[in-house]
Amino acid sequence: DIALDIPVEFQKSVRTVYYIWMAHIIALIFNFIGALTYFLTSHEYGRFPYSRITLPLSILLLFVFPMISFLCWFRPLYKALAHDNEFNMKMFLFFCILQLGGNIMFCLGIGDFSCGILNGSLVITLEGDAALPVGIFMIVVGSMFGMLALMNIGVMYVCGRWLVRMVMAKRQGISARLALIETDAEEGTDQEIK
């Protein structure tokens, strides 16, 4: 529960990241629909043999990505902010960078992983009634991933600033403890360090 676990100053940001995670799942659903139409359209015209790979990969991504991204992407951020944990924040940023790379690949349609802008523009070049709307839909799906890539950059910027604050706060805490130890050693007293 975000309201109970996360400090007040981070609650809005965690909710925003959760909505971005949900938007990734919606984009994957649209990617599956686009890959299905790409498969049907390319086979109708006898072109683009790679569309046979795009459809199974989109199905795999649709079922595997939400679970993995929740465990490796959203959950570490939640734990990092709920428990002030630097390791989980680093883990979140690492997987966020990987996801940014994936979003850029999905946006452009590099390879056979997604519909993307390049694959959509190739489908538009086909002659036929279904090619134009399918190609436009694929370009829209690629644009969705492009917007998600921009959102990932924003999230990485904000979370990177949080990580710097966490590290600085810990360093200041260590410096304060060392200063207390030095004054105790100089005075010859043993005060309890909290």
Side-chain angles (χ1 to χ4, degrees):
D1 188 16
I2 293 174
L4 295 176
D5 295 338
I6 305 296
V8 176
E9 64 267 16
F10 300 128
Q11 287 180 4
K12 182 178 177 186
S13 299
V14 171
R15 282 190 182 96
T16 302
V17 171
Y18 178 74
Y19 296 140
I20 291 172
W21 177 72
M22 294 297 286
H24 277 92
I25 295 170
I26 292 168
L28 287 172
I29 291 169
F30 279 105
N31 183 51
F32 165 71
I33 295 168
L36 181 62
T37 57
Y38 176 45
F39 175 77
L40 296 174
T41 303
S42 63
H43 282 281
E44 181 180 335
Y45 299 109
R47 298 178 74 185
F48 305 117
Y50 298 116
S51 66
R52 288 178 271 158
I53 299 169
T54 306
L55 181 61
L57 284 176
S58 71
I59 293 170
L60 179 69
L61 287 171
L62 181 62
F63 288 108
V64 172
F65 176 78
M67 293 176 284
I68 291 175
S69 65
F70 183 80
L71 293 175
C72 297
W73 189 74
F74 181 73
R75 193 69 187 153
L77 175 69
Y78 190 90
K79 285 182 179 180
L81 295 176
H83 305 293
D84 196 27
N85 189 326
E86 184 180 331
F87 173 76
N88 280 321
M89 183 63 79
K90 288 178 183 177
M91 188 171 147
F92 166 76
L93 287 172
F94 173 75
F95 283 105
C96 200
I97 290 169
L98 291 179
Q99 188 168 8
L100 174 65
N103 282 341
I104 291 171
M105 276 184 28
F106 292 163
C107 170
L108 297 176
I110 297 173
D112 306 316
F113 295 108
S114 72
C115 298
I117 294 172
L118 296 176
N119 287 336
S121 60
L122 288 174
V123 171
I124 287 177
T125 62
L126 293 174
E127 296 178 11
D129 297 333
L132 183 63
V134 169
I136 291 173
F137 184 76
M138 290 172 68
I139 290 173
V140 168
V141 170
S143 301
M144 288 173 68
F145 281 111
M147 287 186 287
L148 287 170
L150 292 175
M151 289 181 199
N152 271 8
I153 290 171
V155 166
M156 288 185 337
Y157 173 74
V158 170
C159 292
R161 287 179 46 202
W162 289 340
L163 181 62
V164 168
R165 286 182 193 159
M166 283 181 186
V167 170
M168 295 303 288
K170 287 185 180 181
R171 285 188 181 171
Q172 289 173 355
I174 291 170
S175 298
R177 289 181 187 151
L178 288 175
L180 182 61
I181 291 170
E182 286 177 7
T183 56
D184 286 345
E186 290 173 1
E187 295 174 3
T189 59
D190 292 327
Q191 294 180 357
E192 187 176 321
I193 299 174
K194 296 181 182 181

